[in-house]
Each structure stands twice: as C-alpha cells, then as structure tokens.
Amino acid sequence: MLAARASTARSAQRIARSFATVVDTTGVKVAAVDYNQPTASVTVLVKAGSRFQPKDGAANALKNFAFKSTSSRSAIGTVRESELYGGVLSSTLGREHLALTAEFLKADAPYFVDILTSFVTSAKFTRHEFEEYVAPVVSAETEAASRDPATLAIDTAHGLAFRSGLGSSLFAPAHHDLTVDDVKSFASSIFTKSNIAVLGTGIDQATLSSLVEKAFAKASESSAVSTPASKYFGGETRLGGTGGPQTVFIGFGTTGSPSAEHAALAAHLSPTPSIKWSKGLSPLSSLPEGISVQPVYLPYTDASLFGLLVQGPTTASVKEASKAAIAALKAASQGIKAEELKSAVAKAKFAAASSVETREGLVNALGSKIFSGVNTSLVATLSSLDAVDASAFSKATANLLAAKPTYVVIGDVHLPYVDELGL
C-alpha cells in the first residue's frame, strides 16, 4: 500500500510539473498535459458558477443548455456527430466554475474543440429548447437534490455559511421563474475571454493553443466577472425529513486561501481505512455499524467550508455520533500525537496526488490556479502539507471551533440542536 502511494505521488508530480499555463494571442488561458494516454480530453472552464449568477438557478440552467443549438449545428446534429466520432460530452457546475468537457480519440481534437467553443461563442438559446429540454431538467435536478439528505444538507450549509456569493445554491428554487432571457443575459456577461480557461489532457500544448486561438478569435473581450469577497456568517436551520437517513451537518467556515492544516484535519478524521474491511485508526472509526460520519472539506478561491456529515437510522444514534464528532474535533484542537499527524499528512498528500490522475480531479485542482495566471504544480500542494506541524494543526482546528458553527438538521424534529452538542 505504501509503495503504491509513493508511486502514485511520483506519477502525479510528473504530470503536474508538465503543466504550463499560458495566455495565447486570443487572451484565453490554456494549459495542457500529455503523458501518452490513449485518449484525450478538453475542458472549457468558465467563471459561471452559482456564486456569479444574477438570479437563482441561472447557472444551473446554463449548464443544461450546453450542447444545444448553436450557429454551427443543431442539438440533434451535435448528438449524431459526437456519436459518429465516438466521443463523450458532459457539463458540470460548481460554485465557482462551469466545466464543459469532451473526451475523445486524439485525432478528433479539432472537431471536439469546435463543439465546446461553439457553445461559448454562438449558442442560440432558443425558447423551445429551454421550455422542452432545459427547464424540465432544471426542475428534475432540484427535486433530486431535495430528496438526497447529504446533498441538501451541504447545499443549505453554504447558504448559512456565506449567504450570497458562495452561498448561492447550485440548484434552482422549486418554483422558479427563470426565463430563457435570464439565461441568455447571464451567458452574455460571462462568456468572455477573461472568464475562460481551457485545460487539456492527452493533447500537446501547442496543438491545443492553436485550436483555442482559432476558436476564440472573435470572442468578446469584456472584463472578468467578479463578486464581493466572501464573508463567513454561520447559523442553524432544521428541515423536514426527505425519506432518507437522519442527517446532521456540523460545519465551520473560514475566509482566505485554502489551508493545508484543514486538509490534514479532514484526513485525520476520515474513517475510511487503508485496508478494506478493517476499522482504521481514525478517532471516528469505532462508531456503531450503520452510522456514518464523513469529514467534508470544500476549499474555494477566497473561503472554505469544513464540516462533518453525520447520518444514521435513528435520532439517538445520530445524536451520539454527532457528540463523538465534536469530541474528536476538540481533541484535535488540543493536540495530537506525532504519529497521528504524520499519518494525517500522508493521507492528505495521497488524496491530493491521486486526485490529479483523473480528468475531473485535474480540473478541480488546477482550475483556480490557471485563472490566477500562475504555473500549476502539485509540488507546491505537497510541500505545504509537509510543512504542517503539530502546533499549526491544533491552532487551525481551534480557530475553526472558535467560529460560529454552521448547523443543518434534516429529518426527525427530535434531532439535537447545536447547543446540545457542546458548541
């Protein structure tokens, strides 16, 4: 296991070192890495996450408009041509970025780059596509999120923690009044060169830069979109049951750059063992069967949300697990053994290194750095984790606990209030 981790870390470091961030002649940031994999992918990353939307649900609707009609082809034309080439198209939405991704055979790069960029530069945003295809999917995603306690808890927690900006939901309101004009207006404001970065895997940097230069030659050059700096507030709310497990989210927010200490804390508390079916050494590994406590660490450009997601079948079991989770946090704030810290740092480094071996992981890890115009490197992330010491670890944890908690309950009315957990 240790040998596998070391091999993965070395591989990831080689991948990350080969990245180069540039601004080509069109003003769009481009980064590419090719380590001889048999397929290629290109992701067009846009600063169109929910924190930038002018109206609730607009970002989600824009995501679902991806690969519909453009000036170069119809929606059905895109489907048929992509299947003929054997590629896969997808769109994903986060709080900061909209990611449009194509995966394909290397020789087909020109076609798929054109597919991606034509949506950004010449989407038609037709009314009938919005009413027949986009709006129903937007409503379905909202409904699905409302029935998943974990998704609902974390989405609600963002609203309590940050209110606006990062607090804006990834989903539209249940009874939204979005129109196609809302989506079109949002797209026109963010589909500009300064809000776009292009990431490629399995494709040469020069090749990708050439394709991007041609595709975005006539794209808008308006200034980059921005929002006020994030502020952390915290709060408590209780929602009715969704039919799933009893759920509690105990969170704490910070502002500023992501913290290596918080990443190490998440690794320290994670009950996931290194060997399948074993208990592991986490302070939360000894909870009764059927109870789940998972650390959640979500870093953003200027803020982070750290928390513990507790789920179980009964109110009593969730209450006891929540108390155990708080006790583990408080114990970490008072100091941990050198061996425990070493293990936490090693697990955090492995998680960071292994994440960049997937295309989605690369986008998540490198996206914000590419927008900032700095050279991307996993080495800096691993070095920051190596620098975590016991004092900094305990202080960072204590600072989390000193803030007003973000507390979300979903399920039984008898689930504990935050003050009943010792916070």
Side-chain angles (χ1 to χ4, degrees):
M1 177 63 71
L2 293 177
R5 287 184 175 180
S7 175
T8 300
R10 287 194 296 270
S11 174
Q13 288 185 33
R14 289 195 296 269
I15 293 170
R17 281 198 297 269
S18 65
F19 262 84
T21 302
V22 301
V23 178
D24 64 13
T25 55
T26 66
V28 176
K29 294 180 174 63
V30 179
V33 61
D34 186 1
Y35 49 102
N36 299 317
Q37 61 269 53
T39 62
S41 77
V42 171
T43 295
V44 175
L45 202 63
V46 188
K47 283 186 178 180
S50 58
R51 77 175 296 175
F52 300 108
Q53 63 188 4
K55 187 174 184 178
D56 289 345
N60 186 277
L62 182 63
K63 180 204 73 170
N64 287 302
F65 246 120
F67 315 121
K68 300 298 187 291
S69 298
T70 67
S71 61
S72 28
R73 56 181 65 82
S74 65
I76 189 64
T78 297
V79 172
R80 289 175 175 172
E81 291 176 12
S82 298
E83 290 188 350
L84 285 172
Y85 280 97
V88 177
L89 300 172
S90 61
S91 60
T92 56
L93 179 68
R95 285 188 152 73
E96 297 196 295
H97 304 125
L98 167 67
L100 309 167
T101 299
E103 300 171 67
F104 47 86
L105 297 173
K106 290 189 175 186
D108 299 327
Y111 170 75
F112 283 99
V113 170
D114 182 65
I115 283 280
L116 295 173
T117 56
S118 64
F119 172 64
V120 175
T121 58
S122 64
K124 288 186 175 180
F125 297 109
T126 62
R127 189 177 303 278
H128 77 273
E129 286 181 325
F130 177 77
E131 295 175 351
E132 295 177 19
Y133 303 114
V134 175
V137 175
V138 168
S139 296
E141 290 184 345
T142 298
E143 176 67 14
S146 71
R147 294 183 179 278
D148 181 354
T151 300
L152 181 59
I154 292 174
D155 194 62
T156 302
H158 279 82
L160 288 174
F162 304 111
R163 298 183 183 176
S164 59
L166 289 175
S168 296
S169 176
L170 293 172
F171 308 98
H175 304 288
H176 65 80
D177 59 350
L178 285 169
T179 67
V180 68
D181 291 330
D182 293 328
V183 185
K184 187 183 298 186
S185 175
F186 180 43
S188 66
S189 68
I190 52 87
F191 281 166
T192 64
K193 294 178 182 179
S194 54
N195 293 319
I196 298 169
V198 181
L199 291 78
T201 64
I203 185 170
D204 178 74
Q205 173 85 34
T207 300
L208 182 58
S209 293
S210 177
L211 292 172
V212 168
E213 179 179 350
K214 179 180 178 181
F216 286 109
K218 296 181 179 180
S220 171
E221 298 191 23
S222 300
S223 58
V225 68
S226 63
T227 60
S230 296
K231 295 181 180 180
Y232 176 70
F233 298 92
E236 180 176 1
T237 192
R238 309 174 72 82
L239 305 175
T242 62
Q246 305 298 318
T247 300
V248 165
F249 179 80
I250 310 161
F252 306 88
T254 64
T255 56
S257 302
S259 164
E261 288 77 17
H262 293 159
L265 176 62
H268 170 64
L269 295 176
S270 175
T272 303
S274 295
I275 301 176
K276 192 174 183 179
W277 308 122
S278 68
K279 276 289 188 180
L281 300 177
S282 165
L284 299 175
S285 293
S286 59
L287 293 172
E289 187 174 347
I291 303 299
S292 169
V293 179
Q294 291 294 332
V296 176
Y297 176 48
L298 300 171
Y300 300 103
T301 303
D302 61 348
S304 299
L305 181 64
F306 183 96
L308 294 160
L309 183 68
V310 185
Q311 293 187 293
T314 66
T315 300
S317 63
V318 169
K319 183 174 183 178
E320 290 307 308
S322 298
K323 288 182 176 180
I326 294 300
L329 266 179
K330 288 184 175 180
S333 71
Q334 296 167 4
I336 63 173
K337 298 177 181 177
E339 182 178 330
E340 292 177 323
L341 179 62
K342 183 178 179 180
S343 174
V345 169
K347 289 174 68 175
K349 288 172 64 178
F350 177 73
S354 61
S355 69
V356 300
E357 291 192 334
T358 66
R359 288 162 178 152
E360 183 180 357
L362 279 171
V363 171
N364 292 336
L366 306 176
S368 60
K369 295 180 181 179
I370 288 176
F371 275 114
S372 67
V374 300
N375 289 333
T376 58
S377 172
L378 180 62
V379 175
T381 299
L382 299 181
S383 297
S384 67
L385 287 165
D386 277 327
V388 174
D389 59 30
S391 175
F393 180 90
S394 299
K395 182 178 179 180
T397 307
N399 288 340
L400 281 179
L401 289 167
K404 182 179 180 180
T406 292
Y407 187 71
V408 179
V409 165
I410 298 177
D412 195 294
V413 294
H414 298 295
L415 283 166
Y417 287 86
V418 67
D419 57 5
E420 296 175 338
L421 300 178
L423 289 176

